[in-house]
Amino acid sequence: MIRKITQVFPLLAAAACLGAAPVAPPLAPAPPDLQPGVTVSFTSLAGGATDVRRDRMLALAVPAGTPPSSLLPAGPFRAVLESELAMPLRTEVTFSFEGNGTAELSVNGRVVLNETGAKLGAKAGNSVTLAQGANRLAVTYTGPATGDAAFRLIWAGKDFGREPLPPELLKTDAAATPLRTAERLRAGQEVFARRHCVNCHAGESLSALQMNELGVRPPSLAESGTRFREAWLAQWISDPHALRPDAPMPQLHLESPADAKDLAAYLTSLGTAVAAPPAAAALVNGGGRLFAELRCIACHPAPGTTPVAGDTSRVSLAQVPAKWHPAALAAYLQDPQKDYPASPMPNFRLSAVEARQLSAFLLAGANPGPVSVSGDATGGRNLYESHCYDCHGPVEPVAANRNRTTPPLSTLLTRDWTRGCLGETLANRGTAPDFGFTARERDSLRAFAAAGARFADVPIESTRRTVAALRCNACHARDGQPAGYDRFASEAQALLQRYGASAEADADNASLDQEPPTLTWAGEKLRPEWLRHQLLGDLPAAARPWLKARMPSFKNSAAGLAAGLALEHGLLPSETSPPTADPDLAVLGERLAGPEVFGCTACHAAGSTPALAPFGAPGINFALVPARLRDEYFQRWLDNPPRIDPRTKMPKFTSAPGRSLQTGILEGDAHAQWDALLAFLRTVAESEGPTLPRK
């Protein structure tokens, strides 16, 4: 699942026509800026190289053969993780470790725990008093000389059992100069990769580059005529940033305005648009409801909505009618990754009818404007070969001969990175394309090149980038931060009222919690195989079929996200199958789940056996749980569900950490009871549970 890398390679880096070596001035000191997270300072034990980054958790996992960070080589390392733990009240806790290697914890400058071994956790620290407010935590961790390295910090208190430290309580100084310096280099890495600089500056070192985004091609333009309107293409090619200020597409250096028309004419000669009948009002109404129910409003203002000036949190849909042929738009909505596997557009696995409904809603009442611009397709073909081919690839079986004028990677680090693509004026850019880089992006690219321009594929770092790129927080709360949707929920409700949501359906679902689950603990909660298939979109059953919002698929990111989310929690991805159920324990577990004890079966179905009274609070089918949840998380969840998710309707069944409310069974040992419940769930899964698709 995780690609093994034995070396961090120099990048030999970015942008066209860069002409003296890049220089990055040191960052000026900045006032403290406490932000969520943990500062992790790495040192390579092989050569002494250092790096700093900000993580979410007081945890770390580095699979064998991979570097601990994208700016260090693979091999033995030491990491110092520092954060301020914000406590609402003075309290006493104990700390312990999980994982392997050597770990030492200090609290407010005093060492309270240290341990070494192939399996950490046998030793727990003495009781530690945490003050109200900020408490300084520092963990020094040294991974083993060979093999996987993993650890995480665990705590427990008088009113809660063993658990990882909640990330919403962890703060670090995001303005500290070492962290800002390293993050500037990472920003340069990401800009270079996401702007596809290697496509024009390939050369002999391309095979040595290691970063997920480097292998991503921009969208294929084959069959553009089937999809796009010629007039819009001409406008887009002429100045993409006028239509979308944050567009990754650069403004090309064309000789005349006619060149954009010629390119558009050539591209629209590739395929023929399929005619679509006029959309009926019922289709538009259905599309409006879908737009609201699928929470599209979190990423896009509704069509016809005037965008808020300067708001880049959502992508305007104003260009959709001018851009798309109706039938092609419906096809795109059914498979957004067909022509661009890395597209952040969610694949909701829409039916053909649903896709037509959404397409009709997006195009309703809009005037698409002129269709053609009368360009010269033959001239456009030559322009495509010279200006577009390196990024978008071939669109016809035979490519014309191209005269490459961009320098290879091996020469770029000696060039002047204030010119060419990074030039801030037309005079400095020359004939290079204009990517519309911000001042911060230019600075990060220059710093990245000045530092030697290195890459490595580090799952924790790529996961952070991917979660941001896919806008996961648009629908999911995480680390105490609400979902972006919450800001625009009133707009979604207005759409539902306007487009005729069914009163009966609303009444049936009024009491059902429609909030998607939080992502805070996803990497600790879900088995990587289940999460991978969830992101692939091929799970045999939905965990929460009552949700109107659907979990979309992102096939290009599925494997990396499933691994990276686990690693963030200090857990190595494991694809082992759940163990076979103990039949005697399962009998006791079935009793515990029944109406006379915990009453779990009131809300939870058990395979084909329906829940007894799920009204308003349906639970996840027991048949899905063993393949879905890690056993350790199952135990932690049952200890105190509201502590993990305050919104849950799942009650608490313990009177104190480790003590069940049912004192007459298994001597009131909560964890023994949870083991019995899990054994029962495994029997249900073994007889009626889903089988995950094979790789």
Side-chain angles (χ1 to χ4, degrees), residues 217-237:
R217 276 265 185 192
S220 169
L221 296 179
E223 299 184 354
S224 290
T226 304
R227 294 180 283 158
F228 307 129
R229 295 177 180 272
E230 184 180 349
W232 179 86
L233 270 176
Q235 190 178 8
W236 174 259
I237 293 166

mmCIF file with all atom_site columns, all heavy atoms in Angstrom, residues 217-237:
data_model
loop_
_atom_site.group_PDB
_atom_site.id
_atom_site.type_symbol
_atom_site.label_atom_id
_atom_site.label_alt_id
_atom_site.label_comp_id
_atom_site.label_asym_id
_atom_site.label_entity_id
_atom_site.label_seq_id
_atom_site.pdbx_PDB_ins_code
_atom_site.Cartn_x
_atom_site.Cartn_y
_atom_site.Cartn_z
_atom_site.occupancy
_atom_site.B_iso_or_equiv
_atom_site.pdbx_formal_charge
_atom_site.auth_seq_id
_atom_site.auth_comp_id
_atom_site.auth_asym_id
_atom_site.auth_atom_id
_atom_site.pdbx_PDB_model_num
ATOM 1   N N   . ARG A 1 217 ? -1.411  14.045 -14.203 1.00 0.00 ? 217 ARG A N   1
ATOM 2   C CA  . ARG A 1 217 ? -1.532  14.832 -15.430 1.00 0.00 ? 217 ARG A CA  1
ATOM 3   C C   . ARG A 1 217 ? -2.715  15.788 -15.325 1.00 0.00 ? 217 ARG A C   1
ATOM 4   O O   . ARG A 1 217 ? -3.733  15.469 -14.707 1.00 0.00 ? 217 ARG A O   1
ATOM 5   C CB  . ARG A 1 217 ? -1.765  13.914 -16.625 1.00 0.00 ? 217 ARG A CB  1
ATOM 6   C CG  . ARG A 1 217 ? -0.487  13.327 -17.203 1.00 0.00 ? 217 ARG A CG  1
ATOM 7   C CD  . ARG A 1 217 ? -0.015  14.176 -18.349 1.00 0.00 ? 217 ARG A CD  1
ATOM 8   N NE  . ARG A 1 217 ? 1.142   13.605 -19.009 1.00 0.00 ? 217 ARG A NE  1
ATOM 9   C CZ  . ARG A 1 217 ? 1.867   14.281 -19.887 1.00 0.00 ? 217 ARG A CZ  1
ATOM 10  N NH1 . ARG A 1 217 ? 1.538   15.532 -20.187 1.00 0.00 ? 217 ARG A NH1 1
ATOM 11  N NH2 . ARG A 1 217 ? 2.908   13.742 -20.465 1.00 0.00 ? 217 ARG A NH2 1
ATOM 12  N N   . PRO A 1 218 ? -2.634  16.962 -15.936 1.00 0.00 ? 218 PRO A N   1
ATOM 13  C CA  . PRO A 1 218 ? -3.831  17.800 -16.064 1.00 0.00 ? 218 PRO A CA  1
ATOM 14  C C   . PRO A 1 218 ? -4.908  17.070 -16.868 1.00 0.00 ? 218 PRO A C   1
ATOM 15  O O   . PRO A 1 218 ? -4.649  16.021 -17.464 1.00 0.00 ? 218 PRO A O   1
ATOM 16  C CB  . PRO A 1 218 ? -3.309  19.040 -16.805 1.00 0.00 ? 218 PRO A CB  1
ATOM 17  C CG  . PRO A 1 218 ? -1.854  19.076 -16.506 1.00 0.00 ? 218 PRO A CG  1
ATOM 18  C CD  . PRO A 1 218 ? -1.427  17.633 -16.451 1.00 0.00 ? 218 PRO A CD  1
ATOM 19  N N   . PRO A 1 219 ? -6.108  17.599 -16.904 1.00 0.00 ? 219 PRO A N   1
ATOM 20  C CA  . PRO A 1 219 ? -7.200  16.887 -17.586 1.00 0.00 ? 219 PRO A CA  1
ATOM 21  C C   . PRO A 1 219 ? -6.896  16.581 -19.042 1.00 0.00 ? 219 PRO A C   1
ATOM 22  O O   . PRO A 1 219 ? -6.269  17.376 -19.745 1.00 0.00 ? 219 PRO A O   1
ATOM 23  C CB  . PRO A 1 219 ? -8.373  17.871 -17.470 1.00 0.00 ? 219 PRO A CB  1
ATOM 24  C CG  . PRO A 1 219 ? -8.042  18.722 -16.293 1.00 0.00 ? 219 PRO A CG  1
ATOM 25  C CD  . PRO A 1 219 ? -6.555  18.837 -16.264 1.00 0.00 ? 219 PRO A CD  1
ATOM 26  N N   . SER A 1 220 ? -7.347  15.421 -19.481 1.00 0.00 ? 220 SER A N   1
ATOM 27  C CA  . SER A 1 220 ? -7.248  15.079 -20.893 1.00 0.00 ? 220 SER A CA  1
ATOM 28  C C   . SER A 1 220 ? -8.206  15.958 -21.698 1.00 0.00 ? 220 SER A C   1
ATOM 29  O O   . SER A 1 220 ? -9.340  16.206 -21.283 1.00 0.00 ? 220 SER A O   1
ATOM 30  C CB  . SER A 1 220 ? -7.602  13.610 -21.108 1.00 0.00 ? 220 SER A CB  1
ATOM 31  O OG  . SER A 1 220 ? -7.763  13.336 -22.482 1.00 0.00 ? 220 SER A OG  1
ATOM 32  N N   . LEU A 1 221 ? -7.734  16.415 -22.848 1.00 0.00 ? 221 LEU A N   1
ATOM 33  C CA  . LEU A 1 221 ? -8.574  17.238 -23.717 1.00 0.00 ? 221 LEU A CA  1
ATOM 34  C C   . LEU A 1 221 ? -9.081  16.461 -24.931 1.00 0.00 ? 221 LEU A C   1
ATOM 35  O O   . LEU A 1 221 ? -9.643  17.047 -25.858 1.00 0.00 ? 221 LEU A O   1
ATOM 36  C CB  . LEU A 1 221 ? -7.804  18.481 -24.170 1.00 0.00 ? 221 LEU A CB  1
ATOM 37  C CG  . LEU A 1 221 ? -7.424  19.444 -23.036 1.00 0.00 ? 221 LEU A CG  1
ATOM 38  C CD1 . LEU A 1 221 ? -6.652  20.632 -23.574 1.00 0.00 ? 221 LEU A CD1 1
ATOM 39  C CD2 . LEU A 1 221 ? -8.663  19.915 -22.285 1.00 0.00 ? 221 LEU A CD2 1
ATOM 40  N N   . ALA A 1 222 ? -8.869  15.160 -24.929 1.00 0.00 ? 222 ALA A N   1
ATOM 41  C CA  . ALA A 1 222 ? -9.428  14.339 -26.003 1.00 0.00 ? 222 ALA A CA  1
ATOM 42  C C   . ALA A 1 222 ? -10.955 14.455 -25.966 1.00 0.00 ? 222 ALA A C   1
ATOM 43  O O   . ALA A 1 222 ? -11.566 14.555 -24.905 1.00 0.00 ? 222 ALA A O   1
ATOM 44  C CB  . ALA A 1 222 ? -8.995  12.886 -25.825 1.00 0.00 ? 222 ALA A CB  1
ATOM 45  N N   . GLU A 1 223 ? -11.563 14.468 -27.114 1.00 0.00 ? 223 GLU A N   1
ATOM 46  C CA  . GLU A 1 223 ? -13.016 14.595 -27.256 1.00 0.00 ? 223 GLU A CA  1
ATOM 47  C C   . GLU A 1 223 ? -13.551 15.870 -26.609 1.00 0.00 ? 223 GLU A C   1
ATOM 48  O O   . GLU A 1 223 ? -14.671 15.906 -26.085 1.00 0.00 ? 223 GLU A O   1
ATOM 49  C CB  . GLU A 1 223 ? -13.723 13.360 -26.678 1.00 0.00 ? 223 GLU A CB  1
ATOM 50  C CG  . GLU A 1 223 ? -13.328 12.061 -27.374 1.00 0.00 ? 223 GLU A CG  1
ATOM 51  C CD  . GLU A 1 223 ? -14.108 10.861 -26.863 1.00 0.00 ? 223 GLU A CD  1
ATOM 52  O OE1 . GLU A 1 223 ? -14.869 11.028 -25.902 1.00 0.00 ? 223 GLU A OE1 1
ATOM 53  O OE2 . GLU A 1 223 ? -13.945 9.781  -27.431 1.00 0.00 ? 223 GLU A OE2 1
ATOM 54  N N   . SER A 1 224 ? -12.756 16.918 -26.668 1.00 0.00 ? 224 SER A N   1
ATOM 55  C CA  . SER A 1 224 ? -13.204 18.197 -26.107 1.00 0.00 ? 224 SER A CA  1
ATOM 56  C C   . SER A 1 224 ? -14.464 18.703 -26.796 1.00 0.00 ? 224 SER A C   1
ATOM 57  O O   . SER A 1 224 ? -15.306 19.357 -26.162 1.00 0.00 ? 224 SER A O   1
ATOM 58  C CB  . SER A 1 224 ? -12.102 19.251 -26.237 1.00 0.00 ? 224 SER A CB  1
ATOM 59  O OG  . SER A 1 224 ? -11.039 18.959 -25.376 1.00 0.00 ? 224 SER A OG  1
ATOM 60  N N   . GLY A 1 225 ? -14.586 18.420 -28.070 1.00 0.00 ? 225 GLY A N   1
ATOM 61  C CA  . GLY A 1 225 ? -15.769 18.889 -28.797 1.00 0.00 ? 225 GLY A CA  1
ATOM 62  C C   . GLY A 1 225 ? -17.046 18.269 -28.291 1.00 0.00 ? 225 GLY A C   1
ATOM 63  O O   . GLY A 1 225 ? -18.135 18.844 -28.448 1.00 0.00 ? 225 GLY A O   1
ATOM 64  N N   . THR A 1 226 ? -16.961 17.086 -27.709 1.00 0.00 ? 226 THR A N   1
ATOM 65  C CA  . THR A 1 226 ? -18.129 16.448 -27.123 1.00 0.00 ? 226 THR A CA  1
ATOM 66  C C   . THR A 1 226 ? -18.567 17.163 -25.854 1.00 0.00 ? 226 THR A C   1
ATOM 67  O O   . THR A 1 226 ? -19.752 17.201 -25.517 1.00 0.00 ? 226 THR A O   1
ATOM 68  C CB  . THR A 1 226 ? -17.807 14.978 -26.800 1.00 0.00 ? 226 THR A CB  1
ATOM 69  O OG1 . THR A 1 226 ? -17.360 14.337 -27.986 1.00 0.00 ? 226 THR A OG1 1
ATOM 70  C CG2 . THR A 1 226 ? -19.023 14.254 -26.239 1.00 0.00 ? 226 THR A CG2 1
ATOM 71  N N   . ARG A 1 227 ? -17.593 17.763 -25.178 1.00 0.00 ? 227 ARG A N   1
ATOM 72  C CA  . ARG A 1 227 ? -17.851 18.297 -23.835 1.00 0.00 ? 227 ARG A CA  1
ATOM 73  C C   . ARG A 1 227 ? -18.058 19.807 -23.806 1.00 0.00 ? 227 ARG A C   1
ATOM 74  O O   . ARG A 1 227 ? -18.992 20.308 -23.184 1.00 0.00 ? 227 ARG A O   1
ATOM 75  C CB  . ARG A 1 227 ? -16.684 17.920 -22.904 1.00 0.00 ? 227 ARG A CB  1
ATOM 76  C CG  . ARG A 1 227 ? -16.559 16.434 -22.656 1.00 0.00 ? 227 ARG A CG  1
ATOM 77  C CD  . ARG A 1 227 ? -15.401 16.128 -21.732 1.00 0.00 ? 227 ARG A CD  1
ATOM 78  N NE  . ARG A 1 227 ? -14.118 16.199 -22.410 1.00 0.00 ? 227 ARG A NE  1
ATOM 79  C CZ  . ARG A 1 227 ? -12.954 16.385 -21.808 1.00 0.00 ? 227 ARG A CZ  1
ATOM 80  N NH1 . ARG A 1 227 ? -12.914 16.576 -20.514 1.00 0.00 ? 227 ARG A NH1 1
ATOM 81  N NH2 . ARG A 1 227 ? -11.835 16.406 -22.504 1.00 0.00 ? 227 ARG A NH2 1
ATOM 82  N N   . PHE A 1 228 ? -17.165 20.545 -24.463 1.00 0.00 ? 228 PHE A N   1
ATOM 83  C CA  . PHE A 1 228 ? -17.086 21.982 -24.213 1.00 0.00 ? 228 PHE A CA  1
ATOM 84  C C   . PHE A 1 228 ? -17.577 22.815 -25.402 1.00 0.00 ? 228 PHE A C   1
ATOM 85  O O   . PHE A 1 228 ? -17.469 22.417 -26.563 1.00 0.00 ? 228 PHE A O   1
ATOM 86  C CB  . PHE A 1 228 ? -15.648 22.393 -23.901 1.00 0.00 ? 228 PHE A CB  1
ATOM 87  C CG  . PHE A 1 228 ? -15.023 21.596 -22.786 1.00 0.00 ? 228 PHE A CG  1
ATOM 88  C CD1 . PHE A 1 228 ? -13.782 20.994 -22.952 1.00 0.00 ? 228 PHE A CD1 1
ATOM 89  C CD2 . PHE A 1 228 ? -15.688 21.438 -21.583 1.00 0.00 ? 228 PHE A CD2 1
ATOM 90  C CE1 . PHE A 1 228 ? -13.210 20.262 -21.930 1.00 0.00 ? 228 PHE A CE1 1
ATOM 91  C CE2 . PHE A 1 228 ? -15.122 20.710 -20.551 1.00 0.00 ? 228 PHE A CE2 1
ATOM 92  C CZ  . PHE A 1 228 ? -13.879 20.114 -20.729 1.00 0.00 ? 228 PHE A CZ  1
ATOM 93  N N   . ARG A 1 229 ? -18.073 24.005 -25.084 1.00 0.00 ? 229 ARG A N   1
ATOM 94  C CA  . ARG A 1 229 ? -18.497 24.956 -26.103 1.00 0.00 ? 229 ARG A CA  1
ATOM 95  C C   . ARG A 1 229 ? -17.276 25.741 -26.591 1.00 0.00 ? 229 ARG A C   1
ATOM 96  O O   . ARG A 1 229 ? -16.431 26.162 -25.792 1.00 0.00 ? 229 ARG A O   1
ATOM 97  C CB  . ARG A 1 229 ? -19.548 25.904 -25.534 1.00 0.00 ? 229 ARG A CB  1
ATOM 98  C CG  . ARG A 1 229 ? -20.859 25.220 -25.148 1.00 0.00 ? 229 ARG A CG  1
ATOM 99  C CD  . ARG A 1 229 ? -21.824 26.211 -24.531 1.00 0.00 ? 229 ARG A CD  1
ATOM 100 N NE  . ARG A 1 229 ? -23.080 25.579 -24.150 1.00 0.00 ? 229 ARG A NE  1
ATOM 101 C CZ  . ARG A 1 229 ? -24.123 25.429 -24.945 1.00 0.00 ? 229 ARG A CZ  1
ATOM 102 N NH1 . ARG A 1 229 ? -24.059 25.881 -26.197 1.00 0.00 ? 229 ARG A NH1 1
ATOM 103 N NH2 . ARG A 1 229 ? -25.220 24.843 -24.530 1.00 0.00 ? 229 ARG A NH2 1
ATOM 104 N N   . GLU A 1 230 ? -17.230 25.970 -27.877 1.00 0.00 ? 230 GLU A N   1
ATOM 105 C CA  . GLU A 1 230 ? -16.057 26.588 -28.492 1.00 0.00 ? 230 GLU A CA  1
ATOM 106 C C   . GLU A 1 230 ? -15.820 28.005 -27.979 1.00 0.00 ? 230 GLU A C   1
ATOM 107 O O   . GLU A 1 230 ? -14.684 28.393 -27.679 1.00 0.00 ? 230 GLU A O   1
ATOM 108 C CB  . GLU A 1 230 ? -16.222 26.600 -30.015 1.00 0.00 ? 230 GLU A CB  1
ATOM 109 C CG  . GLU A 1 230 ? -15.011 27.146 -30.757 1.00 0.00 ? 230 GLU A CG  1
ATOM 110 C CD  . GLU A 1 230 ? -15.218 27.138 -32.263 1.00 0.00 ? 230 GLU A CD  1
ATOM 111 O OE1 . GLU A 1 230 ? -16.209 26.522 -32.723 1.00 0.00 ? 230 GLU A OE1 1
ATOM 112 O OE2 . GLU A 1 230 ? -14.408 27.763 -32.973 1.00 0.00 ? 230 GLU A OE2 1
ATOM 113 N N   . ALA A 1 231 ? -16.872 28.811 -27.859 1.00 0.00 ? 231 ALA A N   1
ATOM 114 C CA  . ALA A 1 231 ? -16.703 30.197 -27.424 1.00 0.00 ? 231 ALA A CA  1
ATOM 115 C C   . ALA A 1 231 ? -16.133 30.262 -26.007 1.00 0.00 ? 231 ALA A C   1
ATOM 116 O O   . ALA A 1 231 ? -15.280 31.095 -25.699 1.00 0.00 ? 231 ALA A O   1
ATOM 117 C CB  . ALA A 1 231 ? -18.037 30.941 -27.498 1.00 0.00 ? 231 ALA A CB  1
ATOM 118 N N   . TRP A 1 232 ? -16.612 29.365 -25.143 1.00 0.00 ? 232 TRP A N   1
ATOM 119 C CA  . TRP A 1 232 ? -16.064 29.371 -23.776 1.00 0.00 ? 232 TRP A CA  1
ATOM 120 C C   . TRP A 1 232 ? -14.607 28.955 -23.769 1.00 0.00 ? 232 TRP A C   1
ATOM 121 O O   . TRP A 1 232 ? -13.780 29.541 -23.064 1.00 0.00 ? 232 TRP A O   1
ATOM 122 C CB  . TRP A 1 232 ? -16.867 28.423 -22.876 1.00 0.00 ? 232 TRP A CB  1
ATOM 123 C CG  . TRP A 1 232 ? -16.300 28.392 -21.488 1.00 0.00 ? 232 TRP A CG  1
ATOM 124 C CD1 . TRP A 1 232 ? -16.585 29.238 -20.466 1.00 0.00 ? 232 TRP A CD1 1
ATOM 125 C CD2 . TRP A 1 232 ? -15.302 27.489 -20.987 1.00 0.00 ? 232 TRP A CD2 1
ATOM 126 N NE1 . TRP A 1 232 ? -15.839 28.931 -19.354 1.00 0.00 ? 232 TRP A NE1 1
ATOM 127 C CE2 . TRP A 1 232 ? -15.036 27.859 -19.653 1.00 0.00 ? 232 TRP A CE2 1
ATOM 128 C CE3 . TRP A 1 232 ? -14.602 26.413 -21.543 1.00 0.00 ? 232 TRP A CE3 1
ATOM 129 C CZ2 . TRP A 1 232 ? -14.111 27.186 -18.859 1.00 0.00 ? 232 TRP A CZ2 1
ATOM 130 C CZ3 . TRP A 1 232 ? -13.676 25.740 -20.757 1.00 0.00 ? 232 TRP A CZ3 1
ATOM 131 C CH2 . TRP A 1 232 ? -13.436 26.119 -19.435 1.00 0.00 ? 232 TRP A CH2 1
ATOM 132 N N   . LEU A 1 233 ? -14.268 27.940 -24.564 1.00 0.00 ? 233 LEU A N   1
ATOM 133 C CA  . LEU A 1 233 ? -12.876 27.499 -24.623 1.00 0.00 ? 233 LEU A CA  1
ATOM 134 C C   . LEU A 1 233 ? -11.954 28.628 -25.065 1.00 0.00 ? 233 LEU A C   1
ATOM 135 O O   . LEU A 1 233 ? -10.870 28.821 -24.510 1.00 0.00 ? 233 LEU A O   1
ATOM 136 C CB  . LEU A 1 233 ? -12.733 26.316 -25.587 1.00 0.00 ? 233 LEU A CB  1
ATOM 137 C CG  . LEU A 1 233 ? -12.899 24.910 -25.005 1.00 0.00 ? 233 LEU A CG  1
ATOM 138 C CD1 . LEU A 1 233 ? -12.832 23.881 -26.123 1.00 0.00 ? 233 LEU A CD1 1
ATOM 139 C CD2 . LEU A 1 233 ? -11.826 24.623 -23.957 1.00 0.00 ? 233 LEU A CD2 1
ATOM 140 N N   . ALA A 1 234 ? -12.380 29.400 -26.049 1.00 0.00 ? 234 ALA A N   1
ATOM 141 C CA  . ALA A 1 234 ? -11.555 30.511 -26.520 1.00 0.00 ? 234 ALA A CA  1
ATOM 142 C C   . ALA A 1 234 ? -11.335 31.532 -25.409 1.00 0.00 ? 234 ALA A C   1
ATOM 143 O O   . ALA A 1 234 ? -10.219 32.050 -25.219 1.00 0.00 ? 234 ALA A O   1
ATOM 144 C CB  . ALA A 1 234 ? -12.201 31.173 -27.730 1.00 0.00 ? 234 ALA A CB  1
ATOM 145 N N   . GLN A 1 235 ? -12.387 31.809 -24.661 1.00 0.00 ? 235 GLN A N   1
ATOM 146 C CA  . GLN A 1 235 ? -12.273 32.766 -23.559 1.00 0.00 ? 235 GLN A CA  1
ATOM 147 C C   . GLN A 1 235 ? -11.369 32.221 -22.454 1.00 0.00 ? 235 GLN A C   1
ATOM 148 O O   . GLN A 1 235 ? -10.531 32.937 -21.892 1.00 0.00 ? 235 GLN A O   1
ATOM 149 C CB  . GLN A 1 235 ? -13.666 33.066 -23.007 1.00 0.00 ? 235 GLN A CB  1
ATOM 150 C CG  . GLN A 1 235 ? -13.715 34.224 -22.020 1.00 0.00 ? 235 GLN A CG  1
ATOM 151 C CD  . GLN A 1 235 ? -15.129 34.496 -21.538 1.00 0.00 ? 235 GLN A CD  1
ATOM 152 O OE1 . GLN A 1 235 ? -16.051 33.738 -21.828 1.00 0.00 ? 235 GLN A OE1 1
ATOM 153 N NE2 . GLN A 1 235 ? -15.304 35.591 -20.811 1.00 0.00 ? 235 GLN A NE2 1
ATOM 154 N N   . TRP A 1 236 ? -11.528 30.937 -22.142 1.00 0.00 ? 236 TRP A N   1
ATOM 155 C CA  . TRP A 1 236 ? -10.721 30.299 -21.105 1.00 0.00 ? 236 TRP A CA  1
ATOM 156 C C   . TRP A 1 236 ? -9.241  30.289 -21.491 1.00 0.00 ? 236 TRP A C   1
ATOM 157 O O   . TRP A 1 236 ? -8.362  30.624 -20.694 1.00 0.00 ? 236 TRP A O   1
ATOM 158 C CB  . TRP A 1 236 ? -11.219 28.882 -20.871 1.00 0.00 ? 236 TRP A CB  1
ATOM 159 C CG  . TRP A 1 236 ? -10.394 28.040 -19.936 1.00 0.00 ? 236 TRP A CG  1
ATOM 160 C CD1 . TRP A 1 236 ? -9.499  27.085 -20.268 1.00 0.00 ? 236 TRP A CD1 1
ATOM 161 C CD2 . TRP A 1 236 ? -10.415 28.088 -18.501 1.00 0.00 ? 236 TRP A CD2 1
ATOM 162 N NE1 . TRP A 1 236 ? -8.951  26.521 -19.148 1.00 0.00 ? 236 TRP A NE1 1
ATOM 163 C CE2 . TRP A 1 236 ? -9.495  27.121 -18.045 1.00 0.00 ? 236 TRP A CE2 1
ATOM 164 C CE3 . TRP A 1 236 ? -11.118 28.841 -17.571 1.00 0.00 ? 236 TRP A CE3 1
ATOM 165 C CZ2 . TRP A 1 236 ? -9.256  26.894 -16.692 1.00 0.00 ? 236 TRP A CZ2 1
ATOM 166 C CZ3 . TRP A 1 236 ? -10.883 28.619 -16.219 1.00 0.00 ? 236 TRP A CZ3 1
ATOM 167 C CH2 . TRP A 1 236 ? -9.967  27.662 -15.791 1.00 0.00 ? 236 TRP A CH2 1
ATOM 168 N N   . ILE A 1 237 ? -8.946  29.905 -22.720 1.00 0.00 ? 237 ILE A N   1
ATOM 169 C CA  . ILE A 1 237 ? -7.558  29.851 -23.181 1.00 0.00 ? 237 ILE A CA  1
ATOM 170 C C   . ILE A 1 237 ? -6.945  31.242 -23.187 1.00 0.00 ? 237 ILE A C   1
ATOM 171 O O   . ILE A 1 237 ? -5.783  31.428 -22.817 1.00 0.00 ? 237 ILE A O   1
ATOM 172 C CB  . ILE A 1 237 ? -7.490  29.219 -24.590 1.00 0.00 ? 237 ILE A CB  1
ATOM 173 C CG1 . ILE A 1 237 ? -7.887  27.740 -24.523 1.00 0.00 ? 237 ILE A CG1 1
ATOM 174 C CG2 . ILE A 1 237 ? -6.104  29.375 -25.204 1.00 0.00 ? 237 ILE A CG2 1
ATOM 175 C CD1 . ILE A 1 237 ? -8.166  27.119 -25.873 1.00 0.00 ? 237 ILE A CD1 1
#
